[in-house]
Amino acid sequence: MTQIEVVRGDITKLQVDAIVNAANTSLLGGGGVDGAIHRAAGMELLRACERLGGCLTGSAKVTPGFELPAEWVFHAVGPVWNGGTHGEDTKLEGCYSRCMELAREYDVKSIAFPAISTGVYHFPRQRAARIAVTTVNNQLEASNLERVIFCCFDEMTAEIYTRLLRNHRI
Ligand code: APR
């Protein structure tokens, strides 16, 4: 039985096999959680990202975690919110789905997700959380994950995820 939990805090501190980054298509760093992960991982992360040649929105690519506690970073590129009629839901779902595939490929037992796209990219928190929880939950059985963390940086996001997990009885 996979343990799914909501943690309020800084994803760079979590002792998990993989953390997910909310990156941009260049994969060359930025602000928000992207900036925090690059700062904590050190310069080698940027060099590894430079070799990836970018990433399409709605997908994710992998690097080692370097100086992070996590062994891997899955750099997911979420959609910028543009009113909800430009395929944003599908692209956000693609980020979580690709990360669950990568978790299988890298035989990851524990993973932490930030609330992808809900900061600078302005994706509505509740709608994004529902996509995240549903997509992850639908692909749990096919994974070998023992622990999934939704890492929320603010209280409102943490409450949204906590309520969703309770209502879904996950
Ligand atoms: N740990 C966990 N979550 C964090 C952290 C952190 N250290 N820092 C920020 N967050 C949260 C934000 O509060 C938000 O809930 O991550 C979520 C995603 O917000 P952003 O980091 O702004 O990411 P996003 O909205 O996907 O925008 C991505 O921002 O930083 C740039 O390079 C990035 O261009 C890309 C864009």
Side-chain angles (χ1 to χ4, degrees):
M1 182 70 178
T2 308
Q3 181 189 350
I4 302 184
E5 57 192 294
V6 178
V7 167
R8 169 94 196 273
D10 179 351
I11 201 167
T12 67
K13 306 278 193 258
L14 297 182
Q15 298 280 349
V16 289
D17 292 346
I19 60 170
V20 175
N21 184 16
N24 59 61
T25 53
S26 75
L27 297 185
L28 300 181
V33 68
D34 196 5
I37 288 173
H38 276 270
R39 282 192 298 277
M43 278 310 288
E44 285 185 272
L45 179 62
L46 181 58
R47 278 197 281 279
C49 285
E50 283 165 347
R51 290 194 290 272
L52 292 177
C55 180
L56 292 175
T57 299
S59 191
K61 288 189 178 177
V62 187
T63 67
F66 298 109
E67 294 166 42
L68 286 162
E71 185 179 359
W72 304 106
V73 181
F74 294 172
H75 303 268
V77 181
V80 175
W81 180 251
N82 191 9
T85 57
H86 297 76
E88 295 97 318
D89 288 3
T90 305
K91 289 213 181 334
L92 187 60
E93 181 185 336
C95 289
Y96 288 94
S97 186
R98 181 64 187 135
C99 286
M100 292 300 279
E101 283 171 9
L102 291 170
R104 277 198 301 281
E105 287 172 29
Y106 284 75
D107 195 25
V108 154
K109 297 284 185 277
S110 56
I111 189 169
F113 292 93
I116 301 170
S117 278
T118 64
V120 164
Y121 283 1
H122 295 302
F123 203 111
R125 287 186 174 96
Q126 177 73 38
R127 188 172 175 144
R130 198 176 305 124
I131 291 167
V133 169
T134 306
T135 307
V136 168
N137 194 44
N138 288 346
Q139 297 187 35
L140 265 190
E141 261 183 60
S143 76
N144 296 322
L145 283 164
E146 292 165 4
R147 193 173 175 220
V148 174
I149 294 175
F150 289 108
C151 183
C152 304
F153 206 50
D154 61 85
E155 193 50 44
M156 186 193 294
T157 304
E159 278 168 23
I160 288 172
Y161 273 91
T162 303
R163 209 176 305 123
L164 262 177
L165 292 183
R166 193 182 316 122
N167 294 347
H168 277 59
R169 290 191 182 74
I170 296 168

